[in-house]
Amino acid sequence: MGTVTSSQAQSNSLPTTPQKAAKPARSEAATGVLFGVGAYGLWGMMPLYFMLLLPANSIEIVANRVIWSLIFCALIITLSRGWGKLGAALKNRRIMGTLSIAGFLIVINWLTYVFAVTTGNTIEASLGYFINPLVSVLIGVIVLKEKLRPLQWLAVGIGFVAVVVLTFSYGKLPWIALVLAGSFGIYGFVKNRVGGKVDAITSLSIETAVLTPFAIAAMIAVTLMGQATLLALGAGHFWLMAAAGIVTAVPLLFFGASASRLSMTGIGLLQFMTPVIQFLMAINFLGEHMSFERWVGFAIVWVALALLIVDMLISFRRSSKLRKTTHAEA
């Protein structure tokens, strides 16, 4: 910006006819935000999709999600000529082992989430994703031996208080929220071990391929028990179930496109879209009830998240200043 080439200089000296001003190219950061909003927005809207799949139970829905996701991934890999990348990943034992663990973690997350939505517990599911950043911080302390900053410690302590309050509110431990937060937090940690060695589609393909034999076995079991709905409720229901592949893969692709363009701080701030949308949807569209005690518990969680966000922004600002200083000195 502000640089003038020789050809531009020559053209400035000649008479020109009025031309329509060219649209400025959208910045990479703006594109990343759009992809991020698309990813987290679609993930937030998923409860509506799962409600459309009723009366299928959570086991059948997740089994179909695994199988159709693998089929859709195979189609994308074929179109993008990505079989070489997949083959290289399959030959790497470390990557295969890590992604196999990730696959079993994500299927626990999917089963719990679908169960929550289809049994009227979407609010508690959204709580799980609100708690998830706190779990990620704890994993950093326990597993990676990271040192927490004061605001992070305060946020974790407040989060613990929130769980206690919500336990009294629900009359039981909010296990759905804790399983969702724990499984997704550990899943993120495991996937981080792979890093940039595999792209999103290759990763999802391997994870679902590992799970597919179990998904097929689950479908057979559901059919033998007379509970299968895939072929029993007409073409509309069949194609809604088959759409699970697209519903799973598209936001993941959007997320990958966003993550490659935004900082971790940007991604971290956008991720709160999903539980907010889920929470609002549960109250306004799914008719779930929030008691006063639950409002108190959620408010405490939001205070903890606000502290994490403030800490995140302060840390990002400091690191940006440090980078600028280092660059200037160099």
Side-chain angles (χ1 to χ4, degrees):
M1 194 171 178
T3 304
V4 181
T5 65
S6 58
S7 60
Q8 287 173 323
Q10 289 172 8
S11 65
N12 287 341
S13 64
L14 298 172
T16 57
T17 55
Q19 290 183 348
K20 207 173 187 178
K23 280 187 178 181
R26 183 182 286 124
S27 72
E28 285 291 285
T31 302
V33 169
L34 288 176
F35 276 120
V37 169
Y40 288 113
L42 288 172
W43 278 326
M45 297 290 287
M46 274 205 183
L48 289 182
Y49 170 68
F50 291 133
M51 293 302 289
L52 291 174
L53 301 183
L54 294 175
N57 62 34
S58 56
I59 293 175
E60 184 183 10
I61 291 173
V62 171
N64 272 274
R65 190 175 183 184
V66 169
I67 294 167
W68 292 108
S69 293
L70 181 61
I71 294 170
F72 187 70
C73 286
L75 177 62
I76 292 179
I77 288 173
T78 300
L79 293 174
S80 62
R81 299 178 180 178
W83 288 105
K85 291 180 183 178
L86 181 63
L90 291 172
K91 291 175 185 176
N92 188 314
R93 289 185 180 181
R94 186 172 181 179
I95 289 176
M96 281 298 298
T98 304
L99 291 180
S100 296
I101 294 170
F104 284 103
L105 285 167
I106 201 60
V107 84
I108 291 171
N109 184 271
W110 287 356
L111 279 168
T112 307
Y113 182 72
V114 175
F115 172 80
V117 171
T118 55
T119 56
N121 291 288
T122 304
I123 288 176
E124 190 176 341
S126 74
L127 173 64
Y129 292 110
F130 278 125
I131 293 175
N132 180 62
L134 299 172
V135 172
S136 298
V137 169
L138 279 176
I139 290 172
V141 174
I142 297 169
V143 181
L144 302 177
K145 308 301 180 185
E146 294 177 352
K147 292 183 178 180
L148 294 189
R149 295 181 289 272
L151 276 180
Q152 290 177 314
W153 273 119
L154 183 59
V156 170
I158 292 173
F160 178 76
V161 172
V163 171
V164 173
V165 170
L166 287 163
T167 298
F168 281 102
S169 168
Y170 281 95
K172 60 181 176 63
L173 196 68
W175 68 269
I176 289 175
L178 295 176
V179 170
L180 285 174
S183 60
F184 200 70
I186 300 171
Y187 172 77
F189 168 75
V190 170
K191 291 279 288 222
N192 187 255
R193 300 298 90 190
V194 176
K197 295 174 185 175
V198 292
D199 58 25
I201 283 298
T202 300
S203 178
L204 182 62
S205 299
I206 293 174
E207 290 168 39
T208 50
V210 168
L211 297 171
T212 294
F214 300 96
I216 293 171
M219 284 299 299
I220 292 171
V222 169
T223 302
L224 291 175
M225 290 187 290
Q227 297 177 3
T229 66
L230 180 65
L231 302 174
L233 299 177
H237 182 74
F238 173 85
W239 288 113
L240 276 173
M241 294 284 271
I246 299 173
V247 169
T248 299
V250 168
L252 186 69
L253 289 172
F254 283 0
F255 174 77
S258 177
S260 65
R261 291 171 169 86
L262 295 179
S263 65
M264 286 303 295
T265 301
I267 288 291
L269 293 175
L270 281 177
Q271 76 175 356
F272 294 112
M273 277 183 61
T274 296
V276 166
I277 293 171
Q278 292 169 349
F279 180 77
L280 294 174
M281 192 178 299
I283 293 175
N284 295 308
F285 296 104
L286 303 181
E288 294 188 23
H289 175 65
M290 278 286 287
S291 65
F292 174 75
E293 292 83 2
R294 290 184 188 179
W295 276 112
V296 171
F298 270 76
I300 296 173
V301 170
W302 294 331
V303 169
L305 290 178
L307 290 173
L308 275 186
I309 291 171
V310 169
D311 178 80
M312 190 189 305
L313 293 173
I314 291 172
S315 176
F316 178 73
R317 192 172 180 180
R318 283 176 181 168
S319 60
S320 295
K321 284 183 178 179
L322 184 62
R323 282 195 300 269
K324 286 178 181 177
T325 304
T326 305
H327 182 70
E329 290 173 353

